[in-house]
Amino acid sequence: MADYRNLIDGEMVDNGEWLEVLNPANEKVVGRVPACGKDELDRAVAAARRAFKDWKKTSPEERQKVVQGIAAAIKENADELFRLLTSEQGKPHAQAQQEIYGAAGLAAAQSTLTLDDVVNQDDDTRLSRTRRVPVGVVGGIVPWNFPVMMAIQKIVPALVAGCTIVLKPSPFTPLTTLRIAELIKDVVPAGTVNIITGEDHLGPMITEHPDIDKITFTGSTATGKKIMEGASGDLKRITLELGGNDASIVLPDADVEKVAEQLFWSSFSNAGQVCIAAKRVYIHKDIYDDLSKAIAEYAKTVVVGDGSQQGTGVGPIQNKKQYERVLELIQDAKDNGYKFLTGGDKDPSGTGYYVPITILDNPPEDARIVAEEQFGPVMPLLKFDSIDEVIERANNSEYGLAGAVWTKDTDKGVEIAEQLETGTVWINEFMHLSPFSPFGGHKQSGFGAEYGLDGLKEFTYPQVITVKRDAAV
Ligand code: NAD
């Protein structure tokens, strides 16, 4: 067990008060982090404000160099970082490795993004151009499912845009982020990146802080609503990446053997704790029996266990609260007599937050386990008859994050995608995010974007400068 300190104004610091972080695989303490409040937040925000004065004037090339330094620091220490990530988050080593290398890759790729001026008018009377100006000090708040990726996808575009940032990891998963803070302490200019830890109550202090200009938040829809309220006091800019209840639609021409394994991982990667996991899988009636059988057969080959052990495919749920919520949804399905293809038989008394791979056989559309975001290793398979019907069912959700269509007829897939009310739709794959394409939700999955130039723009405001050319002065 080790102590991890916060990064404030270029120094690793603590306040003598500590929060313990548990390993969800065995419920043992793996590390401690500072339990911060208003004082530490004020210090971090003041440092970010001071640093902003110089950082906003740096050239894109200077910023690119710093961000590439972050990417290199993560990559060079990937081995240590992915093991630490598994120990606090629970995900199997291979998936933790993907997250760490993915975060380094994202930083390297996004370091190259620039927002060029746009000329609006250029004639004898006026030259008018729009430039993108960094908003100032950003407050970043992240969840526990992809703690490193989410931290990097907020820190990097903030820096690239010319902003400085105060970032708060989830109290459940702050360790790897703080280790990265230590690694980049001398890579980033003092005060440009500040990382402070604390319980949930630190969140509202950030959203309401008068010297923070923008909030970028990833987390639940319920918290997103509170953030919107908290940020309204001084009309802070906000980007909200919230929950999802993504639908996968499998057309009758899909090859059962080829898609079974991919569909499985679209729901069970990271133990289902992915905002863009397939949480409702609609299968055409002509292939429903064969495909559901193939998915259930594949599920039997996947080991649920401690993510640090070789061979584990699905790790524990990250924290007790979420574990109890997933068990409650499974119990509700049992109480209602829905049919299980796998799972549903867990004795919740052992050590570690393990939930068996749970696949449901065509439960009703209004079952809680279908209508709510499960955020666990649960996959309801649902039978459909016609395309119009399945589009209506897929869209019948308060969420609008992502979705997928599986078919050999990619034109048909695109035609269906265009009718889905979500920010992203994949044809014949899932969860693929590009550093250069915007990612964001519709409806109660949030608004604004991350990734790509659209994501970068969210850290700026447009300033139009117009020169009157035929002025009489
Ligand atoms: P959460 O909303 O409980 O917590 C997220 C963060 O907000 C944590 O750092 C927490 O400490 C902080 N927080 C809690 N209360 C706050 C408040 N009142 N004000 C400000 N901050 C507060 O979410 P979680 O349980 O950590 O994450 C799971 C959720 O995140 C799921 O709903 C999932 O779908 C969503 N998620 C969305 C995306 C996306 O990109 N759309 C990505 C990953 C996760």
Side-chain angles (χ1 to χ4, degrees):
M1 207 225 13
D3 290 343
Y4 295 79
R5 293 183 166 71
N6 285 181
L7 176 59
I8 299 180
D9 205 11
E11 302 290 335
M12 298 308 295
V13 293
D14 69 72
N15 59 355
E17 290 171 45
W18 299 94
L19 283 179
E20 290 184 337
V21 178
L22 298 185
N23 180 342
N26 54 27
E27 301 173 53
K28 291 202 175 106
V29 178
V30 270
R32 296 195 313 172
V33 300
C36 291
K38 183 87 172 65
D39 288 352
E40 294 81 5
L41 176 62
D42 283 347
R43 282 219 314 281
V45 173
R49 178 62 57 196
R50 277 193 303 279
F52 179 59
K53 281 190 191 140
D54 289 332
W55 185 251
K56 69 178 176 189
K57 294 183 197 148
T58 52
S59 66
E61 293 72 26
E62 283 171 81
R63 296 177 199 163
Q64 186 172 345
K65 214 170 134 212
V66 168
V67 171
Q68 283 177 353
I70 297 176
I74 296 173
K75 209 168 155 188
E76 279 158 22
N77 295 279
D79 203 50
E80 174 201 342
L81 293 171
F82 85 71
R83 287 171 202 283
L84 182 59
L85 179 58
T86 292
S87 74
E88 64 172 336
Q89 205 284 334
K91 64 185 66 185
H93 272 164
Q95 293 172 32
Q97 234 166 343
Q98 272 173 20
E99 181 170 347
I100 297 297
Y101 281 108
L106 182 77
Q110 291 198 336
S111 73
T112 62
L113 293 176
T114 49
L115 292 170
D116 297 328
D117 288 4
V118 174
V119 174
N120 310 309
Q121 185 182 351
D122 184 4
D123 57 26
D124 292 345
T125 56
R126 282 181 192 85
L127 172 62
S128 168
R129 70 187 167 94
T130 304
R131 58 191 285 266
R132 304 297 311 197
V133 184
V135 285
V137 175
V138 174
I141 303 176
V142 298
W144 45 258
N145 59 340
F146 286 88
V148 174
M149 194 59 156
M150 302 289 157
I152 292 301
Q153 75 191 43
K154 303 207 180 309
I155 292 170
V156 161
L159 291 180
V160 170
C163 296
T164 57
I165 185 163
V166 176
L167 183 104
K168 188 192 90 59
S170 165
F172 294 116
T173 52
L175 304 182
T176 318
T177 310
L178 289 183
R179 179 67 187 119
I180 291 172
E182 206 176 344
L183 293 168
I184 64 169
K185 178 172 82 70
D186 300 320
V187 172
V188 298
T192 53
V193 178
N194 305 273
I195 303 182
I196 65 167
T197 47
E199 303 264 22
D200 283 353
H201 68 254
L202 187 57
M205 292 180 200
I206 295 176
T207 50
E208 288 162 22
H209 200 288
D211 218 17
I212 289 181
D213 303 289
K214 180 204 164 64
I215 300 294
T216 171
F217 172 77
T218 302
S220 63
T221 295
T223 307
K225 290 177 186 174
K226 290 184 193 154
I227 297 223
M228 198 164 174
E229 213 179 314
S232 70
D234 53 2
L235 287 183
K236 282 187 183 63
R237 276 65 191 127
I238 49 178
T239 302
L240 298 177
E241 295 289 1
L242 309 176
N245 195 2
D246 296 359
S248 241
I249 298 173
V250 192
L251 300 193
D253 67 349
D255 185 312
V256 166
E257 291 309 318
K258 288 187 181 145
V259 298
E261 187 175 334
Q262 298 179 73
L263 282 168
F264 176 88
W265 288 112
S266 74
S267 290
F268 292 99
S269 171
N270 203 29
Q273 304 161 113
V274 190
C275 55
I276 48 176
K279 292 169 186 143
R280 298 176 287 158
V281 178
Y282 293 96
I283 303 173
H284 191 269
K285 64 176 179 15
D286 290 355
I287 57 167
Y288 182 88
D289 289 345
D290 288 347
L291 184 51
S292 54
K293 197 165 152 232
I295 295 171
E297 282 303 312
Y298 180 76
K300 286 184 199 149
T301 69
V302 178
V303 177
V304 178
D306 184 332
S308 68
Q309 299 303 307
Q310 194 153 11
T312 297
V314 172
I317 295 287
Q318 200 284 321
N319 60 74
K320 192 164 185 210
K321 192 171 150 223
Q322 183 61 22
Y323 171 66
E324 284 169 351
R325 182 182 143 69
V326 175
L327 290 182
E328 182 194 312
L329 285 178
I330 293 173
Q331 189 58 46
D332 178 80
K334 280 167 80 173
D335 293 346
N336 280 286
Y338 306 144
K339 194 170 156 213
F340 289 74
L341 292 174
T342 65
D345 50 3
K346 169 76 175 170
D347 165 12
S349 59
T351 308
Y353 307 136
Y354 299 106
V355 172
I357 290 167
T358 300
I359 302 176
L360 282 109
D361 183 9
N362 205 24
E365 200 75 359
D366 61 356
R368 282 190 62 197
I369 211 152
V370 178
E372 296 180 24
E373 181 185 38
Q374 313 103 8
F375 224 60
V378 173
M379 182 192 216
L381 302 179
L382 303 149
K383 204 184 287 189
F384 75 89
D385 271 322
S386 76
I387 303 281
D388 286 347
E389 168 216 329
V390 78
I391 291 170
E392 199 175 318
R393 287 168 72 185
N395 285 337
N396 183 21
S397 169
E398 66 193 23
Y399 294 110
L401 194 56
V405 184
W406 301 82
T407 174
K408 290 193 178 76
D409 182 350
T410 51
D411 288 344
K412 186 80 195 161
V414 170
E415 201 183 304
I416 294 171
E418 287 175 352
Q419 295 175 74
L420 295 179
E421 297 162 354
T422 62
T424 298
V425 187
W426 296 281
I427 317 295
N428 297 333
E429 65 172 348
F430 61 96
M431 288 190 210
H432 168 74
L433 297 182
S434 156
F436 306 112
S437 307
F439 167 68
H442 179 43
K443 301 188 200 170
Q444 292 194 40
S445 290
F447 50 76
E450 291 192 290
Y451 292 69
L453 291 177
D454 293 273
L456 192 57
K457 273 187 189 163
E458 302 251 329
F459 294 87
T460 66
Y461 67 90
Q463 182 188 47
V464 177
I465 297 183
T466 304
V467 178
K468 181 96 165 86
R469 280 184 164 144
D470 58 354
V473 281

